[in-house]
Amino acid sequence: AQKVTQAQTEISVVEKEDVTLDCVYETRDTTYYLFWYKQPPSGELVFLIRRNSFDEQNEISGRYSWNFQKSTSSFNFTITASQVVDSAVYFCALTYNYGQNFVFGPGTRLSVLP
Amino acid sequence: EAGVTQSPTHLIKTRGQQVTLRCSPISGHTSVYWYQQALGLGLQFLLWYDEGEERNRGNFPPRFSGRQFPNYSSELNVNALELEDSALYLCASSSFTGEGTYNEQFFGPGTRLTVL
């Protein structure tokens, strides 16, 4: 079965702490894409990153970084020096079958306390 | 550039009624996706339209249906509403350019449906 697991339901950290959100996926396809989205309290999902199955390079964007490891089927997301504005639900998602199927993980609710 | 827009923002219906939700994609995007997000739950894929055709459908009963218009806007219709249909309905759009495309989806603000 094709699925995305985000084992951490809720995480609370204090501002300026680093935090890693885990994402583990399952797919039989060799070509697939992985995504991270942020859903702030307003409800609108914000696209953060897209990564294809052939590119295992880690990526850094400001305080955000992503670690993709095919060997463990993981695509983890780290926020460095977290801020209160990072408080949101974060979703990991998988697209497969030539882009025709998509599945979202259950999400991780991150609370950053001042 | 305008993002994905959805209307209405909120909706209250009673069991057995029918509802229509609307979505306008980002200009230039031909694909529209619908998701249901029940309170505290993740996103469940409902429907995907591209170039006016239904391309894929999630595991939902037939009373969930929709269509895409020539201008790529879309409607989601839900008949015979049930209490468990209460949720945030999210629409997303992307520039799908054929099989093998894995473009990111851009989401609208959602329509919150409450069924009493």
Side-chain angles (χ1 to χ4, degrees), chain A residues 9-29:
Chain A
T9 305
E10 293 192 38
I11 301 176
S12 286
V13 298
V14 177
E15 206 169 19
K16 297 185 182 176
E17 284 186 10
D18 298 347
V19 58
T20 295
L21 309 183
D22 297 335
C23 172
V24 174
Y25 62 93
E26 292 179 33
T27 179
R28 294 184 295 270
D29 287 28

Side-chain angles (χ1 to χ4, degrees), chain B residues 31-63:
Chain B
S31 274
V32 170
Y33 311 80
W34 288 96
Y35 293 87
Q36 181 195 67
Q37 186 178 26
L39 190 61
L41 299 180
L43 279 74
Q44 302 298 317
F45 168 66
L46 266 165
L47 289 159
W48 167 30
Y49 292 95
D50 183 68
E51 296 285 2
E53 294 187 8
E54 183 180 301
R55 297 294 300 264
N56 205 353
R57 181 182 182 86
N59 189 24
F60 279 84
R63 58 192 187 82

Side-chain angles (χ1 to χ4, degrees), chain A residues 49-63:
Chain A
I49 190 173
R50 175 179 68 153
R51 176 53 50 87
N52 76 57
S53 54
F54 300 105
D55 181 4
E56 288 193 72
Q57 272 195 328
N58 291 334
E59 180 154 344
I60 298 175
S61 176
R63 296 184 298 106

Side-chain angles (χ1 to χ4, degrees), chain A residues 28-45:
Chain A
R28 294 184 295 270
D29 287 28
T30 54
T31 302
Y32 54 88
Y33 274 66
L34 296 161
F35 303 80
W36 275 96
Y37 287 86
K38 172 183 179 180
Q39 186 177 38
S42 61
E44 187 166 344
L45 272 82

